[in-house]
Amino acid sequence: MKKHTDLSIQTLRGFAVFFIVMAHVIGYNRTFGMHVENDSFYRYFYYTLQFLRIPLFTTISGFVYCYRPLIKGNLGLFLTGKVRRILIPLVTGTVLKYYLNLFATRYEPGLYRYAWKFFVYPFGHLWFLQTIFLVFLCICFLELTGLLKSFRNWAIILMLSFIIAIATRDTLPNFFSFENLPYLLFFFLLGVGLFRFPERILNPKAVLIVSAVFVAGVAFQQLNWFLNWNLDEDYKSVMGFWVSISGMLVFFRFRKNIPFIAKLGSYSYAIYLYHLIGTSGIQCLFRQLNIYWDPLIFVAAMTCGVGIPIFLEREVFRHPIARLVFLGLRTHKKPKE
């Protein structure tokens, strides 16, 4: 099978992971990350992009899945690959994040007695791996039953996932991040549709409408910030879905290959998994040195958050066992076909 490399998709990946690292550098409130105030420019930047980060990452996952989709008779091999690619790095990342947080004095040493919970409940950014694994289990069922083959069936399933995501908001259990399953499933399915039915979804008339909806949604979001309307800002809110859904369609329609960002996208998995080594490490160092100048902290944390995982993948994770343990890659590369 030929390897697919769509550099415009890699560019979207690069933007997605950059947005995610930036969010963790800034912190979702003033007690995390840079500890910036709620009225700071950094907090505004965080707010502006908050409805685009995870939806973009997830929609790309659905799109890329279609390069090598599940086929009948291949279920065991498919699931084995997902266990290797997702669950093994999940375990490794959980252990590293636990000790990183312990080093940063966020935990009491005695907390190791409850450490098992970090593997089965949401734990920082690693919740995404838990939920995306559940998404792939759902996709297995949908593919094997043929429910994603036609545009009509895909549209029905997509709409059902949207309704479930809205209806079950804040009601589902958080065991293995199950609470986010309908939300991620919706955007994953959106990515599948963008690959399989682009002419039906992104026809010229639809693109014009969606672009106007996206601009209106972002404008509404900005008004909410500047006029202090105090509207629901949750990513599963009406405003959240409004911006994220229209944004995904616009991004995929107008995506371009930007070589530097595409290169960043090729390391997106390592960056997502291990960026906290760089971001938390440099922020702890600056606090020890009593350096609190936000522009320097932001640039340094972004550089380390992106650069250190790339260095790790290129230089440290080159050993076959390290490739498996840290990135879920095969211990031996498949020969070219």
Side-chain angles (χ1 to χ4, degrees):
M1 179 177 291
K2 293 181 179 181
K3 184 178 180 179
H4 297 262
T5 305
D6 185 336
L7 294 180
S8 66
I9 292 295
Q10 290 290 61
T11 298
L12 289 182
R13 264 182 171 165
F15 278 118
V17 77
F18 187 84
F19 293 161
I20 289 170
V21 173
M22 184 177 62
H24 292 157
V25 167
I26 296 171
Y28 73 92
N29 62 39
R30 65 189 304 270
T31 62
F32 289 89
M34 294 171 58
H35 303 284
V36 296
E37 297 296 333
N38 290 333
D39 59 353
S40 72
F41 169 78
Y42 298 99
R43 177 68 55 221
Y44 165 74
F45 209 35
Y46 179 102
Y47 169 82
T48 298
L49 297 173
Q50 68 178 346
F51 300 139
L52 302 175
R53 292 185 289 263
I54 291 299
L56 183 55
F57 217 62
T58 310
T59 305
I60 293 169
S61 298
F63 190 94
V64 172
Y65 154 77
C66 294
Y67 292 159
R68 301 182 65 179
L70 171 66
I71 57 177
K72 289 185 178 181
N74 202 33
L75 178 61
L77 185 62
F78 181 85
L79 289 177
T80 299
K82 296 310 172 189
V83 168
R84 170 177 49 79
R85 193 73 166 115
I86 299 174
L87 296 189
I88 291 179
L90 172 62
V91 172
T92 304
T94 299
V95 172
L96 288 177
K97 179 172 170 55
Y98 172 79
Y99 282 103
L100 183 64
N101 286 357
L102 196 64
F103 172 77
T105 66
R106 288 184 182 174
Y107 300 146
E108 295 294 331
L111 195 63
Y112 70 87
R113 292 175 296 175
Y114 310 100
W116 63 270
K117 293 185 178 181
F118 295 118
F119 295 94
V120 294
Y121 286 97
F123 187 35
H125 66 294
L126 297 174
W127 70 266
F128 181 84
L129 272 68
Q130 296 177 338
T131 307
I132 203 68
F133 184 78
L134 298 179
V135 167
F136 277 113
L137 295 182
C138 294
I139 292 299
C140 288
F141 170 77
L142 294 173
E143 290 282 47
L144 293 178
T145 53
L147 292 175
L148 299 180
K149 288 184 178 181
S150 69
F151 176 78
R152 176 180 175 275
N153 287 346
W154 167 83
I156 292 173
I157 298 298
L158 182 73
M159 183 57 65
L160 286 174
S161 67
F162 175 78
I163 293 172
I164 294 172
I166 293 291
T168 61
R169 176 182 169 184
D170 300 326
T171 63
L172 298 176
N174 66 349
F175 182 81
F176 215 70
S177 300
F178 183 80
E179 59 188 342
N180 288 313
L181 175 58
Y183 181 76
L184 287 199
L185 180 60
F186 172 83
F187 286 102
F188 192 97
L189 289 170
L190 183 61
V192 171
L194 286 168
F195 183 93
R196 293 181 178 175
F197 316 109
E199 69 287 345
R200 301 289 297 273
I201 301 173
L202 297 178
N203 61 73
K205 183 178 180 181
V207 169
L208 183 62
I209 295 173
V210 166
S211 298
V213 169
F214 178 59
V215 171
V218 172
F220 194 82
Q221 183 187 8
Q222 297 301 303
L223 289 172
N224 184 52
W225 171 273
F226 287 108
L227 299 181
N228 296 314
W229 286 348
N230 294 320
L231 299 178
D232 189 352
E233 299 173 354
D234 187 80
Y235 57 93
K236 296 178 184 176
S237 66
V238 173
M239 184 169 62
F241 271 113
W242 179 1
V243 174
S244 56
I245 295 173
S246 59
M248 294 310 99
L249 298 177
V250 169
F251 288 172
F252 271 78
R253 171 58 183 85
F254 296 106
R255 68 182 189 270
K256 300 291 183 182
N257 171 25
I258 305 175
F260 174 75
I261 304 298
K263 188 67 175 178
L264 188 68
S266 66
Y267 295 101
S268 61
Y269 197 44
I271 294 172
Y272 184 85
L273 285 170
Y274 303 115
H275 66 275
L276 290 182
I277 296 175
T279 59
S280 297
I282 194 67
Q283 288 175 325
C284 286
L285 175 61
F286 281 167
R287 282 194 289 270
Q288 291 296 318
L289 297 175
N290 290 319
I291 297 174
Y292 296 102
W293 189 41
D294 286 340
L296 176 61
I297 295 173
F298 180 79
V299 172
M302 287 299 302
T303 301
C304 293
V306 171
I308 288 178
I310 292 176
F311 170 79
L312 291 174
E313 180 169 348
R314 289 176 61 90
E315 304 298 333
V316 180
F317 299 161
R318 296 173 64 182
H319 187 279
I321 299 301
R323 283 166 50 85
L324 174 64
V325 171
F326 289 96
L327 296 174
L329 296 171
R330 294 181 178 88
T331 54
H332 295 90
K333 293 182 179 180
K334 293 181 68 177
K336 293 183 179 181
E337 299 181 1

